[in-house]
Amino acid sequence: KLFVKSVFVQTDGSSEFKVEVALSQANGELEIFVFNKKEKVFEVSNIKVYDTTMTIPASIKNPVLWSLDAPVMYDVVIRYKASDKLIDEVSHRFGIRSAVFKEDGFYLNGEKIKLLGLNRHQSYPYVGYAMPKSAQYEDADILKYDLGVNIVRTAHYPQSKHFLDRCDEIGLLVFEEIPGWQHIGNEQWQELSAQNLRDMIIRDRNHPSIILWGVRINESPDDHDFYFKTNGIARALDPTRQTGGVRNIEHSEFLEDVYTFNDFSHRGLNRGLEDKSKVTKKVP
């Protein structure tokens, strides 16, 4: 009956960060440890549990930031105790970095990065999604080392945790989005989609490689109430990342933080991309 439901390490690229721990019950005690490889860099014990969600401030002196060329990872370990007995223990990897889209481009740890990326589907011939860790790792390696990209979009659904783990390890940025393609269904359908979004963010929000949440159904029409809701869910569950939502509509309603757009204008002889001013206003 007593267990750790989820852990979220909220970082902004500074030495100060927060560890949010969701628990099944509001009693007991917590211990939190942070490791850089095997070196313990943070420790706090005897935290009295008074709520089912606890947010504990933490800090690391002179942290090494996660970057494309040096994707340094830390480990957080949460120990949940009751009556001096260890009830549950979980660990997560995370990275410390800042990532933000501005009107003039994308910035990682304050450095402007030109993004060059590809979409990635995880469905393989004959076996569909049933591919092991080794193949998921290899896909990430191909994208970064053979094809030379620095960002991948998980089109159009959350993908294998092994793939995301490898993106963390090698410094490959990720734009992850909810499942779907063009269609928006009825109220019950929309609630299932909202739950997909919650599940995706809670599962994957400790991955430093993920820099943007896709909160629209790919290439769907505008739907104010639905997308107002999905943006609110993402910002509540993860205030550290911006939202986007892929559309192929020029000047569609902009509820997200970043205007993400499928540009299909190229026909072979014309220029490759439309001018930004034709697609949207002055936004990230």
Side-chain angles (χ1 to χ4, degrees):
K1 294 182 179 180
L2 295 174
F3 63 95
V4 177
K5 296 173 67 176
S6 67
V7 175
F8 177 30
V9 183
Q10 300 186 28
T11 73
D12 61 3
S14 70
S15 60
E16 308 290 327
F17 57 96
K18 300 175 185 177
V19 182
E20 180 187 292
V21 184
L23 303 162
S24 60
Q25 295 187 24
N27 56 56
E29 295 182 347
L30 292 176
E31 294 178 341
I32 298 177
F33 307 93
V34 176
F35 297 89
N36 179 7
K37 297 181 179 177
K38 293 185 178 180
E39 180 187 0
K40 189 185 296 181
V41 294
F42 176 83
E43 175 181 352
V44 60
S45 301
N46 302 319
I47 305 168
K48 298 293 184 182
V49 174
Y50 58 83
D51 199 350
T52 52
T53 300
M54 301 284 293
T55 301
I56 296 95
S59 65
I60 298 174
K61 187 177 181 181
N62 301 319
V64 181
L65 301 186
W66 185 94
S67 66
L68 300 182
D69 297 323
V72 174
M73 303 287 290
Y74 292 86
D75 291 283
V76 62
V77 178
I78 310 295
R79 305 182 84 216
Y80 187 20
K81 303 175 76 174
S83 302
D84 292 325
K85 292 182 179 180
L86 180 63
I87 303 299
D88 195 11
E89 181 174 323
V90 299
S91 63
H92 285 273
R93 293 193 313 169
F94 70 98
I96 298 175
R97 54 103 184 104
S98 66
V100 61
F101 288 84
K102 301 180 181 181
E103 290 180 7
D104 65 327
F106 172 71
Y107 290 80
L108 182 66
N109 301 325
E111 178 187 356
K112 188 174 181 179
I113 305 287
K114 183 167 184 175
L115 297 176
L116 177 67
L118 289 168
N119 296 325
R120 187 248 185 182
H121 282 283
Q122 69 171 15
S123 183
Y124 291 80
Y126 309 112
V127 296
Y129 289 10
M131 289 297 274
K133 176 180 177 179
S134 58
Q136 304 289 349
Y137 268 45
E138 185 179 20
D139 263 12
D141 288 349
I142 289 170
L143 283 161
K144 173 147 187 171
Y145 299 119
D146 294 350
L147 300 178
V149 306
N150 57 19
I151 187 169
V152 57
R153 174 184 171 215
T154 65
H156 315 286
Y157 40 83
Q159 297 186 5
S160 166
K161 64 181 181 180
H162 301 306
F163 177 76
L164 298 175
D165 285 343
R166 188 59 175 165
C167 291
D168 291 339
E169 293 171 3
I170 64 176
L172 178 61
L173 303 171
V174 178
F175 169 23
E176 187 172 43
E177 57 189 347
I178 54 176
W181 186 72
Q182 297 185 346
H183 173 76
I184 298 175
N186 60 18
E187 184 177 345
Q188 183 182 16
W189 187 99
Q190 291 179 28
E191 182 49 47
L192 287 171
S193 184
Q195 189 58 47
N196 285 338
L197 176 62
R198 295 184 191 98
D199 293 342
M200 175 181 76
I201 293 175
I202 291 172
R203 188 193 76 159
D204 293 337
R205 58 190 173 176
N206 286 314
H207 289 281
S209 58
I210 296 177
I211 58 170
L212 193 64
W213 297 123
V215 301
R216 285 176 65 115
I217 302 299
N218 175 63
E219 296 175 3
S220 61
D222 287 339
D223 188 312
H224 176 85
D225 292 347
F226 180 35
Y227 291 136
F228 183 84
K229 179 178 181 178
T230 59
N231 275 279
I233 290 170
R235 289 165 182 150
L237 289 175
D238 182 4
T240 71
R241 288 179 179 85
Q242 293 167 297
T243 62
V246 175
R247 72 270 277 162
N248 55 354
I249 312 163
E250 295 177 357
H251 295 282
S252 78
E253 185 179 24
F254 181 55
L255 299 172
E256 299 76 39
D257 301 308
V258 183
Y259 198 95
T260 46
F261 177 72
N262 278 347
D263 189 330
F264 298 127
S265 61
H266 187 56
R267 294 292 179 267
L269 298 176
N270 58 326
R271 59 178 296 167
L273 296 171
E274 295 283 10
D275 288 329
K276 182 179 174 181
S277 60
K278 185 181 178 183
V279 173
T280 185
K281 53 192 176 185
K282 195 174 181 182
V283 297

